[in-house]
Amino acid sequence: MNNGEFQQHTAKIEQLLQQVNTLGDECARSTAVGLMQTLMDLHGAALSRVVEMLSDSGNSGRNALTKISEDPLICGLLVLYGIHPLPLQERVLLAIQRVNPQLQKLGTTLELTGIDENAVRLLLRGARLDAHSATSARTKIEQAVREAAPEIAEVAIDGMPDSGFVPLTMIQPAVKYETGEAI
């Protein structure tokens, strides 16, 4: 399952949960929500146990835990259940380390300047990027951060040049000044 498929599944779960919450039968609604919560509790306990066992298994276990926790799908689940072995800031710093070699080829580097539970603030330093390189760099940076920290709502990148893209909604027909008509 790739990240897109994971997002589709989580969106489907959210949609079904919203449908459950609109059920007129209180007993059916309560049963469905209880079933989902019990299933999540079971999965969370099992994943927590896996993390604990790998953490207690010496270097090979910790290395395996590090490797699986870097997988975007598994990372998302570990964050969902609150059992990711690495704190948020460390995960973001690792993402920056992974993307910096690609950015250095463009004459830039990335630094973490701020982080909280909702947003990551980054600073792009170095050479000015053209519109295409800026778009590519932004995509790589945001993907790396979101894979490492799926709980983050916003990735702000200071020093990132504007891509030059103008949304179609911003394009207006020219108007003749004399008549006020569109040209």
Side-chain angles (χ1 to χ4, degrees):
M1 178 180 294
N2 64 34
N3 200 28
E5 292 169 328
F6 179 74
Q7 295 298 331
Q8 288 175 344
H9 283 286
T10 57
K12 181 68 174 176
I13 290 169
E14 183 66 31
Q15 177 188 24
L16 291 171
L17 187 56
Q18 287 175 1
Q19 288 177 0
V20 164
N21 284 328
T22 64
L23 293 175
D25 182 343
E26 176 64 34
C27 183
R29 188 171 53 245
S30 177
T31 300
V33 170
L35 172 64
M36 185 173 153
Q37 186 61 55
T38 301
L39 186 60
M40 286 191 67
D41 290 345
L42 176 63
H43 288 170
L47 281 172
S48 182
R49 186 76 180 264
V50 168
V51 168
E52 180 182 319
M53 291 173 78
L54 287 172
S55 294
D56 294 341
S57 297
N59 285 339
S60 62
R62 286 189 292 279
N63 289 340
L65 180 58
T66 298
K67 184 173 177 82
I68 66 170
S69 67
E70 290 173 353
D71 177 273
L73 175 61
I74 296 171
C75 176
L77 287 175
L78 295 175
V79 168
L80 174 67
Y81 288 105
I83 56 173
H84 200 289
L86 299 177
L88 175 61
Q89 183 167 346
E90 191 172 337
R91 288 184 277 129
V92 171
L93 288 170
L94 287 171
I96 291 169
Q97 286 177 358
R98 282 193 296 272
V99 78
N100 256 335
Q102 297 168 43
L103 295 173
Q104 287 170 347
K105 292 176 186 175
L106 299 172
T108 64
T109 59
L110 191 64
E111 297 174 17
L112 176 64
T113 57
I115 193 166
D116 63 38
E117 64 276 354
N118 294 318
V120 169
R121 181 161 296 284
L122 306 167
L123 176 62
L124 190 67
R125 292 186 184 266
R128 300 298 296 167
L129 302 174
D130 61 33
H132 175 72
S133 296
T135 300
S136 177
R138 178 179 297 280
T139 300
K140 287 177 185 177
I141 292 166
E142 287 181 352
Q143 180 179 356
V145 171
R146 291 189 189 286
E147 285 178 356
E151 68 270 40
I152 292 298
E154 179 186 0
V155 178
I157 308 170
D158 296 325
M160 176 66 73
D162 187 15
S163 67
F165 177 76
V166 178
L168 289 177
T169 57
M170 298 297 291
I171 299 174
Q172 302 294 323
V175 176
K176 288 184 185 179
Y177 288 107
E178 305 84 43
T179 63
E181 297 175 10
I183 299 177

